[in-house]
Amino acid sequence: MLQRIYPRAKVTADDRGPAANVVAWFLLCSVILSVFTRLAIKRFARSDRIISEDYAVVVALVMSIVHTIVLSESVKSGLGKPRLLITRNDLQLLEQLEIGLDILYLWIVALAKYATLELLVRLGKHRPSFKISCYAMMAFAGLWALAGSIAVGLQCGGKAPWSTPSSECVDLRVFWIVMEILNIISEVTIIAAPVVLVWNLQTSWNRKSMVITAFALRLSVIGAIIARVVVVRGDLNRSRSGIVGATVPTTNAALCVAALGIITACTPILKPFLDTFHSGVLGASLEATMQSQHNTPKGTALSFYPWRSRHQSEPLRSQDSNDDRGSSILLENRGPPHSMKSSDDATVEHRKVNIGQAC
């Protein structure tokens, strides 16, 4: 059935499109495996709730599936072939599909950033300045994708944005270089955020490095972005001269950026990173740090645990409060040790006085 829809093709000098197809489907399988592993661990292995960051990853996965299907249609329409070998109708359809691919790419990357930042917000929920910084990065990612989508959709005007590039169209080479530089800046801030969060925590460096490593894997995304910037500098110039196949390396680089963004967003849920979060190590460390710096009452970091649901944390809090209440009542009834001793001494002195009077 699939061979009828997408017939098998070989990579040749005049048709490099199948190479992009192979890369796209391979990366899609990797993304599907990562997302389903994330959801399975959270739902079945840990019995945790599916929350907003999980929904963002799922939406990014759906967009990746659509992106791969659109890419396969682009290959059928002539992606990877010289412009002279493509019919006029196929060329117009190909240019329309490429606009769709670019827009999907922007939002897949933005959703992957949102999922990672949402996790950081919950990890640093007791630090208002850290939360504000994460929300600012979320807004930056959303504006980045929105502005890029508008620019790509209207690159040659509103009437026919998919027209053959001319002097009236946006210079896509400069556009993508600027967009990817901004993308690198946002990735660097995301990687630096957990370092700032755990740097002063009162815990071992092994545990700190485990948390930092969970997010430092996004360095692979930066590597893919740099490769895309290097490739796009020459590819788009050659494609304008009549070689449509020159855009295949750029397409492959974009596929790697999007796929690695989703996969690394799922990484902090996997072992052994999940054990570090779920064991309460970070919560206890943050609680000790807050007590030493801000005189925070003990027990306020119970809700810090990122994967503990509300019904799991409330009984602990109520039990602690009941224990504290019971111990306080006991102390009130018994009184402090020195007061008990003084009362006994007073009773003995009173008895001595009575005996003396009697004599």
Side-chain angles (χ1 to χ4, degrees), residues 65-83:
I65 295 174
V66 176
H67 187 277
T68 304
I69 295 174
V70 174
L71 178 62
S72 298
E73 291 294 330
S74 300
V75 173
K76 289 175 58 178
S77 300
L79 179 65
K81 295 181 181 179
R83 192 178 297 271

Side-chain angles (χ1 to χ4, degrees), residues 135-186:
Y135 286 132
M137 288 187 282
M138 288 183 192
F140 177 82
L143 292 175
W144 176 83
L146 180 61
S149 300
I150 295 174
V152 170
L154 302 176
Q155 57 182 293
C156 293
K159 295 182 180 180
W162 53 84
S163 301
T164 303
S166 61
S167 59
E168 298 179 356
C169 299
V170 176
D171 189 346
L172 291 179
R173 183 178 64 89
V174 176
F175 168 77
W176 281 116
I177 290 175
V178 172
M179 291 294 290
E180 297 300 357
I181 290 175
L182 295 175
N183 195 8
I184 291 175
I185 294 174
S186 64

Side-chain angles (χ1 to χ4, degrees), residues 142-335:
L143 292 175
W144 176 83
L146 180 61
S149 300
I150 295 174
V152 170
L154 302 176
Q155 57 182 293
C156 293
K159 295 182 180 180
W162 53 84
S163 301
T164 303
S166 61
S167 59
E168 298 179 356
C169 299
V170 176
D171 189 346
L172 291 179
R173 183 178 64 89
V174 176
F175 168 77
W176 281 116
I177 290 175
V178 172
M179 291 294 290
E180 297 300 357
I181 290 175
L182 295 175
N183 195 8
I184 291 175
I185 294 174
S186 64
E187 289 293 339
V188 170
T189 56
I190 292 175
I191 295 172
V195 178
V196 175
L197 179 64
V198 303
W199 188 261
N200 293 323
L201 290 186
Q202 299 176 0
T203 184
S204 65
W205 275 105
N206 290 332
R207 290 167 177 169
K208 290 181 180 180
S209 62
M210 188 68 66
V211 177
I212 294 173
T213 304
F215 296 93
L217 293 176
R218 294 191 71 87
L219 288 171
S220 60
V221 181
I222 296 179
I225 297 172
I226 295 174
R228 176 172 162 80
V229 171
V230 172
V231 171
V232 79
R233 293 182 62 183
D235 273 1
L236 291 177
N237 284 338
R238 290 195 295 269
S239 67
R240 289 179 175 180
S241 63
I243 306 175
V244 181
T247 60
V248 171
T250 304
T251 303
N252 290 338
L255 291 170
C256 292
V257 173
L260 289 174
I262 299 176
I263 293 172
T264 52
C266 299
T267 302
I269 309 299
L270 307 178
K271 284 180 171 286
F273 308 122
L274 182 62
D275 293 334
T276 303
F277 294 131
H278 193 76
S279 61
V281 171
L282 291 181
S285 302
L286 181 64
E287 182 180 4
T289 304
M290 292 177 62
Q291 288 177 12
S292 62
Q293 294 180 355
H294 304 288
N295 297 323
T296 305
K298 184 177 180 180
T300 56
L302 283 174
S303 59
F304 171 80
Y305 306 147
W307 282 275
R308 176 175 291 175
S309 58
R310 183 176 300 175
H311 70 275
Q312 289 175 319
S313 59
E314 286 181 352
L316 294 175
R317 189 180 298 109
S318 61
Q319 183 178 358
D320 294 340
S321 61
N322 291 333
D323 293 342
D324 294 339
R325 187 182 300 109
S327 61
S328 62
I329 294 175
L330 182 61
L331 290 175
E332 289 177 0
N333 292 334
R334 294 180 58 183

Side-chain angles (χ1 to χ4, degrees), residues 25-86:
W25 286 101
F26 171 78
L27 292 176
L28 178 62
C29 293
S30 302
V31 170
I32 292 175
L33 180 61
S34 300
V35 173
F36 275 89
T37 302
R38 171 195 176 105
L39 297 178
I41 288 177
K42 288 198 65 176
R43 187 60 182 172
F44 300 106
R46 294 290 185 179
S47 299
D48 293 320
R49 298 176 299 171
I50 303 299
I51 54 179
S52 60
E53 66 193 55
D54 301 312
Y55 291 120
V57 171
V58 172
V59 174
L61 172 60
V62 173
M63 286 188 173
S64 297
I65 295 174
V66 176
H67 187 277
T68 304
I69 295 174
V70 174
L71 178 62
S72 298
E73 291 294 330
S74 300
V75 173
K76 289 175 58 178
S77 300
L79 179 65
K81 295 181 181 179
R83 192 178 297 271
L84 296 176
L85 300 180
I86 306 175

